[in-house]
Amino acid sequence: MAAHLSIVLVEDNDDLRELTAEALRREGHHVVALSCAEELEDHAAGVLADVFLIDLNLPGEDGFSLSRRIRQVHPLVGIIIISARSDLQDKVVGYECGADWYLPKPVPFAELSAALKSFARRRQAQQVESVMPAGGLRLQQRELHGPAGSVRLTLAEETLLTAFARAPSGRLENWQLLELQGLDSADASKTSLEVRITRLRKKLAQAGAQAHCLESIRSIGYQLHVPVQVLG
């Protein structure tokens, strides 16, 4: 059975955006279709995207900058750049900005579909091969399972924990966490983030994680010290 993905499509051409989104939905994928990078926080904040499809020539922030920013916050997410710019240098910059694929327009839908299936197979293989270490936790469909039982997470908590689980060394900086939660750098937003971290830490403990499993790194961010297996 083909895996269904959560996809964020960023394309400023209205007709192409709607046609692509509809074709992807017919294949069973969940699609959030946006016309520019600036809509990401307004319409896709909290979305646990598997793949981002990004055009380069966007109004406002361009596709290169957006790809780089997404890759910093989501190290393991799939990024596919789709652009009419087919020069080698553009492709090189795209890959340097974090793209997994660079597909020149016009892209046959069959090729795009094949790229998505390739990503889905790779992700499924990683999930099958990963074994939850002793004392670890498992997150699936907002349910956190651990040695002490299961705990239901909110969408914001699931988003945070998934990001920590996928981040190198389980470490995320404050600016990454604020961006991930759709918050700004104001003191009120930082306080809101601290409250969310505290609630997540309590639920980790309820599931059986050891004390200090989500540690504050002074003036930098937070680090997760318990292995979490994230299943789709």
Side-chain angles (χ1 to χ4, degrees), residues 10 26 58 153 221:
V10 190
R26 284 199 301 268
L58 297 170
L153 302 186

Side-chain angles (χ1 to χ4, degrees), residues 49-75:
D50 298 306
V51 179
F52 286 83
L53 305 181
I54 301 174
D55 181 33
L56 286 183
N57 295 327
L58 297 170
E61 183 179 12
D62 68 19
F64 287 138
S65 174
L66 178 59
S67 298
R68 185 182 297 109
R69 184 159 61 89
I70 290 171
R71 179 58 70 209
Q72 288 176 332
V73 178
H74 305 282

Side-chain angles (χ1 to χ4, degrees), residues 79-176:
I79 297 178
I80 301 178
I81 288 178
I82 302 175
S83 176
R85 294 160 61 174
S86 58
D87 290 347
L88 176 60
Q89 185 57 35
D90 287 323
K91 294 180 181 180
V92 170
V93 173
Y95 287 117
E96 289 177 345
C97 289
D100 297 291
W101 294 269
Y102 189 114
L103 303 179
K105 290 181 178 177
V107 181
F109 184 75
E111 183 177 1
L112 175 59
S113 179
L116 292 170
K117 289 175 182 175
S118 174
F119 171 80
R121 285 195 300 269
R122 186 177 67 193
R123 188 186 65 167
Q124 287 178 330
Q126 290 171 341
Q127 290 176 346
V128 170
E129 291 172 1
S130 28
V131 176
M132 185 168 62
L137 306 174
R138 185 176 73 254
L139 176 61
Q140 185 171 23
Q141 297 179 347
R142 290 172 60 181
E143 290 285 341
L144 180 62
H145 306 275
S150 299
V151 183
R152 181 73 174 173
L153 302 186
T154 65
L155 178 59
E157 291 163 349
E158 181 188 44
T159 301
L160 280 173
L161 186 55
T162 299
F164 276 118
R166 292 175 173 173
S169 301
R171 178 170 170 168
L172 290 171
E173 297 184 16
N174 288 322
W175 70 266
Q176 292 176 302

